[in-house]
Amino acid sequence: MKTIQLLSLFALAGLLLTSCSSDDPEPVNEEEVITTMTITLTPRGGGTAVQLQSKDLDGDGPEPPVITVSGNFSARTVYNGSIVLLNETETPPDNITVEVEEEADEHQFFYTVGASLSGRTEYSNVDSNGNPLGTQFTFSAGDESTGDLTFTLRHDLKKPNDGTLADAGGETDIAQTFPVVIE
């Protein structure tokens, strides 16, 4: 009986010593789960907004994301854009945009306008150091054209960077390409 009590005491002491060890790993900042990205582009001066959405409720599962584009852009029109990110695996859905904006120094959206699409983007919001964040932006639609518009969110990247994904590095939280038309 005394042997069992002594062994229990040694086991408890061992647990206490290892739990206080300075070799404990630092907590990991888990990557955000993003199931839905909704981009709303509203024409300056009025008109019908265009909404781009990627919804992937099974995440890395077998089903591809459902991509929707609500309409076409008007040629030679400037649109104010905003991006909302949701985790719809939770009820109610978790608004990941809030976390991205709170950790703005560690995040940045990149916009890639396909070569055949006549348009350009510009950042409208920045982090605390004046570097682009990109949850708010403008899209200036040029002449009539058809092509791709890609949105990529990176975290743990180099800031400032030259505006390219290659220079920024980091890890991709979400990336989606939308086929769009300017008419």
Side-chain angles (χ1 to χ4, degrees):
M1 181 79 158
K2 287 190 177 201
T3 304
I4 292 174
Q5 289 176 338
L6 190 57
L7 287 174
S8 296
L9 184 60
F10 282 131
L12 182 60
L15 284 173
L16 289 174
L17 287 174
T18 57
S19 67
C20 295
S21 170
S22 63
D23 294 334
D24 286 345
E26 291 189 29
V28 175
N29 186 7
E30 291 187 25
E31 188 174 317
E32 299 87 1
V33 173
I34 301 170
T35 61
T36 307
M37 175 169 51
T38 304
I39 302 151
T40 304
L41 296 119
T42 306
R44 285 187 184 166
T48 303
V50 176
Q51 190 173 76
L52 314 174
Q53 187 175 71
S54 171
K55 187 176 280 211
D56 192 3
L57 298 179
D58 74 344
D60 291 334
E63 299 299 319
V66 175
I67 308 300
T68 57
V69 177
S70 70
N72 297 334
F73 292 100
S74 297
R76 295 169 295 288
T77 301
V78 177
Y79 292 81
N80 292 320
S82 63
I83 302 172
V84 174
L85 305 169
L86 298 177
N87 174 1
E88 293 190 272
T89 64
E90 297 183 9
T91 304
D94 188 17
N95 186 343
I96 303 301
T97 314
V98 173
E99 184 177 338
V100 168
E101 290 176 342
E102 286 173 353
E103 299 174 357
D105 293 345
E106 301 171 19
H107 290 88
Q108 183 177 343
F109 265 100
F110 293 84
Y111 323 111
T112 306
V113 178
S116 64
L117 190 65
S118 176
R120 62 182 174 79
T121 59
E122 188 173 314
Y123 290 97
S124 297
N125 64 344
V126 296
D127 65 21
S128 63
N129 296 312
N131 295 311
L133 171 58
T135 55
Q136 305 289 319
F137 65 99
T138 59
F139 174 65
S140 299
D143 295 329
E144 294 178 357
S145 56
T146 301
D148 292 332
L149 193 53
T150 302
F151 296 82
T152 305
L153 175 62
R154 289 276 177 94
H155 75 268
D156 291 335
L157 68 157
K158 177 178 93 174
K159 280 187 157 187
N161 55 64
D162 68 6
T164 65
L165 292 165
D167 183 54
E171 306 226 359
T172 299
D173 282 333
I174 188 169
Q176 189 59 62
T177 299
F178 298 92
V180 299
V181 175
I182 300 173
E183 57 181 20

